[in-house]
Amino acid sequence: MFYDQFMNPVVLDTPISGIRLVNSWESKIPLREQIHLNIGQPDLSTPAYIKEAVVDALNKNLTRYTDLMGEEYLRKAIVAFQQAFHNLTYSPREVLVTAGGQSAIFAVLKAILSPNDNIIIPFPSYPPYINAIKYNDAKILSLETMVNDNFNIDAGRLRSILENEPVKALLLISPGNPTGTIIPKKILQEIVDFSIEFNFLIISDEIYSDIVFDDLAYQSIASFPEAWERTIIIQSFSKMLSMCGFRIGYILAPSPIIDQIKVIHHTMNICANSLAQYAAYKALEDRIQLKRSISELVKTYQDRRDLCLEILMKSDTFSISKPRGAFYLFPKVANLDMTIFCKWLKYNYGVTIVPGSYFSMEQIEGHNQYFRICFTANKEQLNLGMKKIVSALKKYKKT
Ligand SMILES: Cc1ncc(COP(=O)(O)O)c(C=O)c1O
């Protein structure tokens, strides 16, 4: 049977994320000796007090559908948390609890995009956005960012895109995946001004907002009073508390927007997992444990970032922008196609990293000279992994 004839051509045309694809690449190194630095999956355990809350939830028989929007106690806790940690003001009516940030992304894009709508994405970016936009037959306008500008958005380039065609939305990820860049206040202000001048929505993926290094203060674009009413925030518990498998995220937006997204969310999920909602509530409710857990986690990732940078910077092969948040490094090696190198590296050295081109659109040529490292492995593995990357590159350049 030729099954493609029955499939949606758009789906046939959208590959699985490259972040996962690299797992299928061959290696001559035995699996137990390989070092996997490709998936943004925290290796740290979920804090014990949150795990205990799942058991509590079961004992309380919380096994029914919840409110479509998410349990009210969780939405209230999210509101209080966002106010206290990020100075953002929302009401529980403006919070929609989702099955992870990923389903938030899908629901938001489905709710706002019609065929042929334009959406601007600064690249490199998180690949599932590309697929989700394609499923809506909308058009991505790419805004290139580069390592020598610390992956910052250039206001002049943004303006020239906006002057050319009407735009429905701009998508920001800060701290960024794959770059770890935090968008500075000055650029946020420029974006806010543009959003008013050109009348578009801002989708702000802030799932790494609590993994911020060097004691920097994270500022959400929704904290600009003029931007609040046109911003949709995507959030998640996955990374900030090592809760990826819980599948709990949420959307913050004005209630008329939430009401529309809720319809999509209902169609996709009915509601988020009831046990995980309770655990997420407990995670936020105990402020002392919450603060302790986040600060330990940030310290761990910051130490790892510093270790990776120290090893890579000793070699003059890489251009690197120091990540200020999240847990990714996105170095560049000038004039080398990293897609070919990354495959070769995995085969010969057993280190799995992701080529930069997987975080971009095909037409952005230079992005194939980058690669992404996740520092979601312990220091011993990272130390070995970085050293292998450096020596592999030396050898590769000679071949
Ligand atoms: C920028 C960004 N947004 C959203 C997600 C989805 O995360 P989750 O669905 O686990 O909340 C990820 C996962 O890596 C991500 O990097």
Side-chain angles (χ1 to χ4, degrees):
M1 176 80 106
F2 177 63
Y3 290 105
D4 283 7
Q5 66 183 312
F6 300 115
M7 298 293 139
N8 177 344
V10 181
V11 177
L12 286 175
D13 196 38
T14 44
I16 191 89
S17 164
I19 300 168
R20 302 272 166 172
L21 185 74
V22 295
N23 283 334
S24 63
W25 288 352
E26 284 181 14
S27 178
K28 67 177 186 191
I29 308 295
L31 191 60
R32 64 179 183 285
E33 289 169 33
Q34 291 180 22
I35 299 174
H36 297 278
L37 307 176
N38 55 314
I39 299 184
Q41 160 92 291
D43 58 316
L44 309 174
S45 297
T46 310
Y49 81 105
I50 302 173
K51 290 198 266 194
E52 282 156 20
V54 183
V55 180
D56 275 4
L58 269 175
N59 288 333
K60 283 177 185 286
N61 254 328
L62 299 181
T63 54
R64 303 167 70 91
Y65 292 133
T66 71
D67 185 315
L68 298 189
M69 299 273 284
E71 294 286 16
E72 194 176 16
Y73 55 73
L74 172 57
R75 287 182 286 121
K76 281 185 174 159
I78 289 170
V79 165
F81 164 73
Q82 285 293 342
Q83 186 74 64
F85 281 59
H86 299 300
N87 201 21
L88 288 175
T89 307
Y90 286 92
S91 76
R93 272 284 289 119
E94 293 155 342
V95 182
L96 175 65
V97 180
T98 60
Q102 196 86 346
S103 86
I105 290 171
F106 200 89
V108 166
L109 293 171
K110 195 80 209 157
I112 67 167
L113 292 177
S114 308
N116 301 318
D117 274 350
N118 290 320
I119 174 163
I120 301 182
I121 303 192
F123 282 105
S125 185
Y126 178 57
Y129 279 104
I130 301 178
N131 286 5
I133 292 165
K134 279 191 187 164
Y135 299 149
N136 290 294
D137 288 326
K139 200 169 123 202
I140 296 172
L141 304 178
S142 49
L143 174 61
E144 190 180 348
T145 68
M146 283 164 299
V147 67
N148 34 335
D149 301 329
N150 284 323
F151 299 106
N152 278 320
I153 291 168
D154 179 84
R157 267 197 222 143
L158 178 55
R159 172 175 280 285
S160 64
I161 296 176
L162 291 164
E163 280 174 346
N164 218 18
E165 316 182 54
V167 163
K168 179 70 88 55
L170 166 70
L171 170 79
L172 305 175
I173 308 178
S174 179
N177 177 5
T179 61
T181 293
I182 295 182
I183 304 174
K185 192 172 177 186
K186 181 175 162 290
I187 299 179
L188 288 178
Q189 183 65 64
E190 286 167 346
I191 293 170
V192 172
D193 295 345
F194 283 148
S195 71
I196 295 160
E197 185 182 345
F198 294 96
N199 189 31
F200 58 83
L201 289 175
I202 300 162
I203 302 170
S204 183
D205 184 327
E206 306 187 358
I207 81 158
Y208 298 100
S209 61
D210 293 283
I211 309 180
V212 168
F213 308 135
D214 311 316
D215 295 323
L216 288 175
Y218 176 78
Q219 185 170 13
S220 166
I221 196 157
S223 69
F224 290 72
E226 328 84 274
W228 187 94
E229 62 177 7
R230 54 177 71 241
T231 301
I232 303 172
I233 294 179
I234 289 171
Q235 265 293 4
S236 172
F237 285 79
S238 288
K239 318 286 172 155
M240 91 167 182
L241 289 164
S242 310
M243 291 171 66
C244 290
F246 285 65
R247 309 308 303 131
I248 289 284
Y250 55 98
I251 299 163
L252 300 170
S255 58
I257 298 182
I258 288 286
D259 288 345
Q260 299 310 312
I261 302 172
K262 185 171 116 182
V263 181
I264 310 292
H265 165 68
H266 176 225
T267 314
M268 285 165 62
N269 301 306
I270 300 183
C271 64
N273 179 301
S274 57
L275 307 176
Q277 286 193 54
Y278 184 76
Y281 157 67
K282 283 290 180 185
L284 299 183
E285 193 202 29
D286 186 337
R287 278 292 163 80
I288 296 172
Q289 303 231 50
L290 173 67
K291 282 192 177 153
R292 189 184 306 139
S293 304
I294 293 178
S295 74
E296 278 170 10
L297 179 143
V298 168
K299 187 179 174 321
T300 304
Y301 288 130
Q302 184 171 316
D303 284 352
R304 292 173 176 185
R305 175 203 64 175
D306 293 344
L307 171 77
C308 295
L309 281 176
E310 194 188 313
I311 300 171
L312 297 179
M313 296 297 237
K314 272 191 202 141
S315 148
D316 55 7
T317 318
F318 307 98
S319 310
I320 308 181
S321 165
K322 187 176 184 175
R324 298 300 185 167
F327 35 59
Y328 306 106
L329 276 167
F330 201 62
K332 178 183 178 185
V333 180
N335 305 320
L336 262 194
D337 186 336
M338 283 295 132
T339 317
I340 302 170
F341 170 74
C342 289
K343 255 190 185 165
W344 184 90
L345 175 76
K346 175 155 185 199
Y347 184 77
N348 292 291
Y349 288 75
V351 178
T352 316
I353 52 176
V354 188
S357 54
Y358 292 4
F359 300 91
S360 252
M361 301 291 280
E362 298 85 14
Q363 69 267 28
I364 305 181
E365 255 181 49
H367 283 172
N368 67 355
Q369 297 171 22
Y370 292 80
F371 59 95
R372 189 188 78 169
I373 296 168
C374 301
F375 37 95
T376 46
N378 64 37
K379 276 180 138 179
E380 200 186 346
Q381 282 195 315
L382 288 170
N383 185 29
L384 197 60
M386 294 311 110
K387 287 181 175 157
K388 284 188 179 206
I389 292 171
V390 172
S391 56
L393 252 173
K394 269 192 202 140
K395 190 159 178 206
Y396 183 76
K397 280 182 164 175
K398 284 188 197 142
T399 56

PDB file of all heavy atoms in Angstrom, residues 40 99-103 105 126 129 173 175 177 205 207-208 234-239 244 247-249 328, ligand 1:
ATOM      1  N   GLY A  40      17.700  18.951  24.908  1.00  0.00           N
ATOM      2  CA  GLY A  40      17.589  19.879  26.039  1.00  0.00           C
ATOM      3  C   GLY A  40      16.779  19.267  27.165  1.00  0.00           C
ATOM      4  O   GLY A  40      15.761  19.812  27.598  1.00  0.00           O
ATOM      5  N   ALA A  99      -0.437  21.155  28.174  1.00  0.00           N
ATOM      6  CA  ALA A  99       0.395  19.949  28.284  1.00  0.00           C
ATOM      7  C   ALA A  99       1.819  20.287  27.831  1.00  0.00           C
ATOM      8  O   ALA A  99       2.253  19.926  26.732  1.00  0.00           O
ATOM      9  CB  ALA A  99      -0.198  18.833  27.435  1.00  0.00           C
ATOM     10  N   GLY A 100       2.529  21.033  28.660  1.00  0.00           N
ATOM     11  CA  GLY A 100       3.895  21.457  28.314  1.00  0.00           C
ATOM     12  C   GLY A 100       3.887  22.701  27.442  1.00  0.00           C
ATOM     13  O   GLY A 100       2.831  23.102  26.904  1.00  0.00           O
ATOM     14  N   GLY A 101       5.075  23.310  27.312  1.00  0.00           N
ATOM     15  CA  GLY A 101       5.207  24.483  26.453  1.00  0.00           C
ATOM     16  C   GLY A 101       4.900  24.131  25.000  1.00  0.00           C
ATOM     17  O   GLY A 101       4.370  24.941  24.240  1.00  0.00           O
ATOM     18  N   GLN A 102       5.219  22.887  24.633  1.00  0.00           N
ATOM     19  CA  GLN A 102       5.059  22.481  23.231  1.00  0.00           C
ATOM     20  C   GLN A 102       3.591  22.566  22.793  1.00  0.00           C
ATOM     21  O   GLN A 102       3.300  23.073  21.712  1.00  0.00           O
ATOM     22  CB  GLN A 102       5.560  21.038  23.100  1.00  0.00           C
ATOM     23  CG  GLN A 102       5.823  20.602  21.692  1.00  0.00           C
ATOM     24  CD  GLN A 102       7.219  20.979  21.224  1.00  0.00           C
ATOM     25  OE1 GLN A 102       7.911  21.782  21.841  1.00  0.00           O
ATOM     26  NE2 GLN A 102       7.630  20.422  20.124  1.00  0.00           N
ATOM     27  N   SER A 103       2.685  22.093  23.635  1.00  0.00           N
ATOM     28  CA  SER A 103       1.285  22.165  23.215  1.00  0.00           C
ATOM     29  C   SER A 103       0.782  23.605  23.322  1.00  0.00           C
ATOM     30  O   SER A 103      -0.137  24.002  22.599  1.00  0.00           O
ATOM     31  CB  SER A 103       0.406  21.166  23.971  1.00  0.00           C
ATOM     32  OG  SER A 103      -0.030  21.702  25.173  1.00  0.00           O
ATOM     33  N   ILE A 105       2.632  26.141  22.385  1.00  0.00           N
ATOM     34  CA  ILE A 105       3.087  26.698  21.097  1.00  0.00           C
ATOM     35  C   ILE A 105       2.065  26.368  20.013  1.00  0.00           C
ATOM     36  O   ILE A 105       1.620  27.231  19.255  1.00  0.00           O
ATOM     37  CB  ILE A 105       4.460  26.075  20.708  1.00  0.00           C
ATOM     38  CG1 ILE A 105       5.560  26.575  21.637  1.00  0.00           C
ATOM     39  CG2 ILE A 105       4.796  26.337  19.243  1.00  0.00           C
ATOM     40  CD1 ILE A 105       6.899  25.848  21.472  1.00  0.00           C
ATOM     41  N   TYR A 126      13.922  27.682  17.844  1.00  0.00           N
ATOM     42  CA  TYR A 126      13.534  26.334  18.265  1.00  0.00           C
ATOM     43  C   TYR A 126      12.719  25.683  17.134  1.00  0.00           C
ATOM     44  O   TYR A 126      11.652  26.187  16.765  1.00  0.00           O
ATOM     45  CB  TYR A 126      12.722  26.471  19.554  1.00  0.00           C
ATOM     46  CG  TYR A 126      12.185  25.197  20.133  1.00  0.00           C
ATOM     47  CD1 TYR A 126      13.027  24.141  20.476  1.00  0.00           C
ATOM     48  CD2 TYR A 126      10.819  25.050  20.365  1.00  0.00           C
ATOM     49  CE1 TYR A 126      12.526  22.981  21.030  1.00  0.00           C
ATOM     50  CE2 TYR A 126      10.308  23.890  20.929  1.00  0.00           C
ATOM     51  CZ  TYR A 126      11.167  22.859  21.248  1.00  0.00           C
ATOM     52  OH  TYR A 126      10.668  21.708  21.795  1.00  0.00           O
ATOM     53  N   TYR A 129       8.662  25.318  16.077  1.00  0.00           N
ATOM     54  CA  TYR A 129       7.873  26.468  15.617  1.00  0.00           C
ATOM     55  C   TYR A 129       7.682  26.417  14.100  1.00  0.00           C
ATOM     56  O   TYR A 129       6.629  26.790  13.592  1.00  0.00           O
ATOM     57  CB  TYR A 129       8.562  27.789  15.991  1.00  0.00           C
ATOM     58  CG  TYR A 129       8.315  28.185  17.425  1.00  0.00           C
ATOM     59  CD1 TYR A 129       9.290  28.034  18.395  1.00  0.00           C
ATOM     60  CD2 TYR A 129       7.087  28.702  17.809  1.00  0.00           C
ATOM     61  CE1 TYR A 129       9.065  28.376  19.716  1.00  0.00           C
ATOM     62  CE2 TYR A 129       6.842  29.057  19.132  1.00  0.00           C
ATOM     63  CZ  TYR A 129       7.836  28.898  20.078  1.00  0.00           C
ATOM     64  OH  TYR A 129       7.582  29.229  21.383  1.00  0.00           O
ATOM     65  N   ILE A 173      12.236  34.199  21.683  1.00  0.00           N
ATOM     66  CA  ILE A 173      12.572  33.199  22.709  1.00  0.00           C
ATOM     67  C   ILE A 173      13.717  33.799  23.521  1.00  0.00           C
ATOM     68  O   ILE A 173      14.796  34.042  22.991  1.00  0.00           O
ATOM     69  CB  ILE A 173      13.043  31.868  22.098  1.00  0.00           C
ATOM     70  CG1 ILE A 173      12.044  31.343  21.069  1.00  0.00           C
ATOM     71  CG2 ILE A 173      13.267  30.835  23.202  1.00  0.00           C
ATOM     72  CD1 ILE A 173      12.471  30.054  20.389  1.00  0.00           C
ATOM     73  N   PRO A 175      15.411  33.634  27.629  1.00  0.00           N
ATOM     74  CA  PRO A 175      16.679  33.247  27.038  1.00  0.00           C
ATOM     75  C   PRO A 175      16.458  32.279  25.860  1.00  0.00           C
ATOM     76  O   PRO A 175      15.521  31.487  25.878  1.00  0.00           O
ATOM     77  CB  PRO A 175      17.401  32.538  28.179  1.00  0.00           C
ATOM     78  CG  PRO A 175      16.761  33.041  29.436  1.00  0.00           C
ATOM     79  CD  PRO A 175      15.341  33.327  29.075  1.00  0.00           C
ATOM     80  N   ASN A 177      16.800  29.468  22.843  1.00  0.00           N
ATOM     81  CA  ASN A 177      17.218  28.143  22.417  1.00  0.00           C
ATOM     82  C   ASN A 177      17.358  28.255  20.907  1.00  0.00           C
ATOM     83  O   ASN A 177      16.369  28.580  20.257  1.00  0.00           O
ATOM     84  CB  ASN A 177      16.145  27.108  22.783  1.00  0.00           C
ATOM     85  CG  ASN A 177      16.499  25.714  22.303  1.00  0.00           C
ATOM     86  OD1 ASN A 177      17.584  25.494  21.776  1.00  0.00           O
ATOM     87  ND2 ASN A 177      15.586  24.780  22.486  1.00  0.00           N
ATOM     88  N   ASP A 205       8.307  33.326  24.129  1.00  0.00           N
ATOM     89  CA  ASP A 205       8.579  32.027  24.741  1.00  0.00           C
ATOM     90  C   ASP A 205       9.587  32.257  25.859  1.00  0.00           C
ATOM     91  O   ASP A 205      10.757  32.579  25.608  1.00  0.00           O
ATOM     92  CB  ASP A 205       9.118  31.078  23.663  1.00  0.00           C
ATOM     93  CG  ASP A 205       9.336  29.658  24.175  1.00  0.00           C
ATOM     94  OD1 ASP A 205       9.678  29.507  25.365  1.00  0.00           O
ATOM     95  OD2 ASP A 205       9.199  28.719  23.384  1.00  0.00           O
ATOM     96  N   ILE A 207      10.252  30.055  28.471  1.00  0.00           N
ATOM     97  CA  ILE A 207      10.342  28.842  29.292  1.00  0.00           C
ATOM     98  C   ILE A 207      11.687  28.730  30.025  1.00  0.00           C
ATOM     99  O   ILE A 207      11.801  27.948  30.946  1.00  0.00           O
ATOM    100  CB  ILE A 207       9.994  27.550  28.523  1.00  0.00           C
ATOM    101  CG1 ILE A 207      11.158  27.038  27.703  1.00  0.00           C
ATOM    102  CG2 ILE A 207       8.765  27.666  27.649  1.00  0.00           C
ATOM    103  CD1 ILE A 207      11.001  25.560  27.408  1.00  0.00           C
ATOM    104  N   TYR A 208      12.679  29.541  29.600  1.00  0.00           N
ATOM    105  CA  TYR A 208      13.974  29.529  30.318  1.00  0.00           C
ATOM    106  C   TYR A 208      14.154  30.754  31.211  1.00  0.00           C
ATOM    107  O   TYR A 208      15.264  31.039  31.655  1.00  0.00           O
ATOM    108  CB  TYR A 208      15.133  29.444  29.307  1.00  0.00           C
ATOM    109  CG  TYR A 208      15.104  28.181  28.475  1.00  0.00           C
ATOM    110  CD1 TYR A 208      14.598  28.193  27.186  1.00  0.00           C
ATOM    111  CD2 TYR A 208      15.555  26.978  29.000  1.00  0.00           C
ATOM    112  CE1 TYR A 208      14.546  27.022  26.419  1.00  0.00           C
ATOM    113  CE2 TYR A 208      15.510  25.804  28.251  1.00  0.00           C
ATOM    114  CZ  TYR A 208      15.005  25.844  26.969  1.00  0.00           C
ATOM    115  OH  TYR A 208      14.958  24.686  26.238  1.00  0.00           O
ATOM    116  N   ILE A 234       4.557  32.160  26.533  1.00  0.00           N
ATOM    117  CA  ILE A 234       4.563  30.695  26.622  1.00  0.00           C
ATOM    118  C   ILE A 234       5.500  30.311  27.750  1.00  0.00           C
ATOM    119  O   ILE A 234       6.646  30.784  27.792  1.00  0.00           O
ATOM    120  CB  ILE A 234       4.993  30.092  25.275  1.00  0.00           C
ATOM    121  CG1 ILE A 234       3.856  30.311  24.274  1.00  0.00           C
ATOM    122  CG2 ILE A 234       5.339  28.598  25.424  1.00  0.00           C
ATOM    123  CD1 ILE A 234       4.173  29.983  22.873  1.00  0.00           C
ATOM    124  N   GLN A 235       5.007  29.501  28.675  1.00  0.00           N
ATOM    125  CA  GLN A 235       5.809  29.123  29.842  1.00  0.00           C
ATOM    126  C   GLN A 235       5.736  27.623  30.074  1.00  0.00           C
ATOM    127  O   GLN A 235       4.885  26.939  29.490  1.00  0.00           O
ATOM    128  CB  GLN A 235       5.289  29.861  31.096  1.00  0.00           C
ATOM    129  CG  GLN A 235       6.016  31.146  31.419  1.00  0.00           C
ATOM    130  CD  GLN A 235       7.475  30.903  31.856  1.00  0.00           C
ATOM    131  OE1 GLN A 235       7.974  29.778  31.858  1.00  0.00           O
ATOM    132  NE2 GLN A 235       8.173  31.983  32.203  1.00  0.00           N
ATOM    133  N   SER A 236       6.645  27.144  30.908  1.00  0.00           N
ATOM    134  CA  SER A 236       6.695  25.707  31.163  1.00  0.00           C
ATOM    135  C   SER A 236       7.404  25.413  32.477  1.00  0.00           C
ATOM    136  O   SER A 236       8.279  26.175  32.901  1.00  0.00           O
ATOM    137  CB  SER A 236       7.452  25.034  30.025  1.00  0.00           C
ATOM    138  OG  SER A 236       7.675  23.678  30.317  1.00  0.00           O
ATOM    139  N   PHE A 237       7.028  24.295  33.088  1.00  0.00           N
ATOM    140  CA  PHE A 237       7.748  23.829  34.284  1.00  0.00           C
ATOM    141  C   PHE A 237       8.904  22.901  33.908  1.00  0.00           C
ATOM    142  O   PHE A 237       9.703  22.537  34.763  1.00  0.00           O
ATOM    143  CB  PHE A 237       6.783  23.061  35.207  1.00  0.00           C
ATOM    144  CG  PHE A 237       5.838  23.943  35.966  1.00  0.00           C
ATOM    145  CD1 PHE A 237       4.711  24.472  35.354  1.00  0.00           C
ATOM    146  CD2 PHE A 237       6.083  24.267  37.295  1.00  0.00           C
ATOM    147  CE1 PHE A 237       3.836  25.298  36.047  1.00  0.00           C
ATOM    148  CE2 PHE A 237       5.214  25.098  38.001  1.00  0.00           C
ATOM    149  CZ  PHE A 237       4.084  25.606  37.368  1.00  0.00           C
ATOM    150  N   SER A 238       8.964  22.516  32.626  1.00  0.00           N
ATOM    151  CA  SER A 238       9.897  21.453  32.215  1.00  0.00           C
ATOM    152  C   SER A 238      11.337  21.706  32.616  1.00  0.00           C
ATOM    153  O   SER A 238      11.998  20.845  33.173  1.00  0.00           O
ATOM    154  CB  SER A 238       9.859  21.281  30.696  1.00  0.00           C
ATOM    155  OG  SER A 238       8.668  20.681  30.291  1.00  0.00           O
ATOM    156  N   LYS A 239      11.837  22.899  32.288  1.00  0.00           N
ATOM    157  CA  LYS A 239      13.276  23.131  32.433  1.00  0.00           C
ATOM    158  C   LYS A 239      13.604  23.749  33.792  1.00  0.00           C
ATOM    159  O   LYS A 239      14.612  23.424  34.391  1.00  0.00           O
ATOM    160  CB  LYS A 239      13.780  24.044  31.314  1.00  0.00           C
ATOM    161  CG  LYS A 239      13.212  23.737  29.936  1.00  0.00           C
ATOM    162  CD  LYS A 239      13.785  22.499  29.287  1.00  0.00           C
ATOM    163  CE  LYS A 239      13.013  22.166  28.015  1.00  0.00           C
ATOM    164  NZ  LYS A 239      13.720  21.412  27.044  1.00  0.00           N
ATOM    165  N   CYS A 244      10.358  17.801  32.803  1.00  0.00           N
ATOM    166  CA  CYS A 244       9.970  17.609  31.391  1.00  0.00           C
ATOM    167  C   CYS A 244       8.842  16.590  31.218  1.00  0.00           C
ATOM    168  O   CYS A 244       7.900  16.815  30.470  1.00  0.00           O
ATOM    169  CB  CYS A 244      11.167  17.156  30.561  1.00  0.00           C
ATOM    170  SG  CYS A 244      12.374  18.463  30.343  1.00  0.00           S
ATOM    171  N   ARG A 247       4.885  17.206  31.703  1.00  0.00           N
ATOM    172  CA  ARG A 247       4.143  17.862  30.616  1.00  0.00           C
ATOM    173  C   ARG A 247       3.203  18.939  31.150  1.00  0.00           C
ATOM    174  O   ARG A 247       1.981  18.890  30.973  1.00  0.00           O
ATOM    175  CB  ARG A 247       3.340  16.839  29.756  1.00  0.00           C
ATOM    176  CG  ARG A 247       4.122  15.648  29.249  1.00  0.00           C
ATOM    177  CD  ARG A 247       5.414  16.014  28.523  1.00  0.00           C
ATOM    178  NE  ARG A 247       5.230  16.909  27.399  1.00  0.00           N
ATOM    179  CZ  ARG A 247       5.966  18.011  27.226  1.00  0.00           C
ATOM    180  NH1 ARG A 247       6.911  18.360  28.096  1.00  0.00           N
ATOM    181  NH2 ARG A 247       5.781  18.760  26.172  1.00  0.00           N
ATOM    182  N   ILE A 248       3.783  19.909  31.816  1.00  0.00           N
ATOM    183  CA  ILE A 248       2.989  21.037  32.315  1.00  0.00           C
ATOM    184  C   ILE A 248       3.612  22.348  31.852  1.00  0.00           C
ATOM    185  O   ILE A 248       4.779  22.632  32.145  1.00  0.00           O
ATOM    186  CB  ILE A 248       2.894  21.033  33.859  1.00  0.00           C
ATOM    187  CG1 ILE A 248       1.998  19.897  34.340  1.00  0.00           C
ATOM    188  CG2 ILE A 248       2.321  22.349  34.386  1.00  0.00           C
ATOM    189  CD1 ILE A 248       0.511  20.131  34.155  1.00  0.00           C
ATOM    190  N   GLY A 249       2.825  23.104  31.119  1.00  0.00           N
ATOM    191  CA  GLY A 249       3.229  24.445  30.706  1.00  0.00           C
ATOM    192  C   GLY A 249       2.028  25.356  30.869  1.00  0.00           C
ATOM    193  O   GLY A 249       0.987  24.939  31.385  1.00  0.00           O
ATOM    194  N   TYR A 328      22.371  26.085  26.728  1.00  0.00           N
ATOM    195  CA  TYR A 328      22.878  25.786  25.400  1.00  0.00           C
ATOM    196  C   TYR A 328      24.060  26.682  25.051  1.00  0.00           C
ATOM    197  O   TYR A 328      24.115  27.839  25.469  1.00  0.00           O
ATOM    198  CB  TYR A 328      21.788  26.040  24.349  1.00  0.00           C
ATOM    199  CG  TYR A 328      20.504  25.315  24.625  1.00  0.00           C
ATOM    200  CD1 TYR A 328      19.382  25.999  25.097  1.00  0.00           C
ATOM    201  CD2 TYR A 328      20.409  23.945  24.424  1.00  0.00           C
ATOM    202  CE1 TYR A 328      18.196  25.329  25.356  1.00  0.00           C
ATOM    203  CE2 TYR A 328      19.216  23.273  24.682  1.00  0.00           C
ATOM    204  CZ  TYR A 328      18.120  23.965  25.144  1.00  0.00           C
ATOM    205  OH  TYR A 328      16.947  23.308  25.401  1.00  0.00           O
TER     206      TYR A 328
HETATM  207  C1  LIG B   1      12.207  27.346  23.431  1.00  0.00           C
HETATM  208  C2  LIG B   1      11.391  26.151  23.797  1.00  0.00           C
HETATM  209  N1  LIG B   1      10.058  26.267  23.858  1.00  0.00           N
HETATM  210  C3  LIG B   1       9.276  25.225  24.194  1.00  0.00           C
HETATM  211  C4  LIG B   1       9.832  23.986  24.473  1.00  0.00           C
HETATM  212  C5  LIG B   1       8.917  22.869  24.844  1.00  0.00           C
HETATM  213  O1  LIG B   1       9.126  22.449  26.169  1.00  0.00           O
HETATM  214  P1  LIG B   1       8.054  21.641  27.010  1.00  0.00           P
HETATM  215  O2  LIG B   1       6.985  21.170  26.073  1.00  0.00           O
HETATM  216  O3  LIG B   1       8.780  20.494  27.634  1.00  0.00           O
HETATM  217  O4  LIG B   1       7.496  22.576  28.014  1.00  0.00           O
HETATM  218  C6  LIG B   1      11.223  23.812  24.417  1.00  0.00           C
HETATM  219  C7  LIG B   1      11.841  22.497  24.678  1.00  0.00           C
HETATM  220  O5  LIG B   1      13.019  22.287  24.535  1.00  0.00           O
HETATM  221  C8  LIG B   1      12.027  24.938  24.082  1.00  0.00           C
HETATM  222  O6  LIG B   1      13.352  24.857  24.029  1.00  0.00           O
END
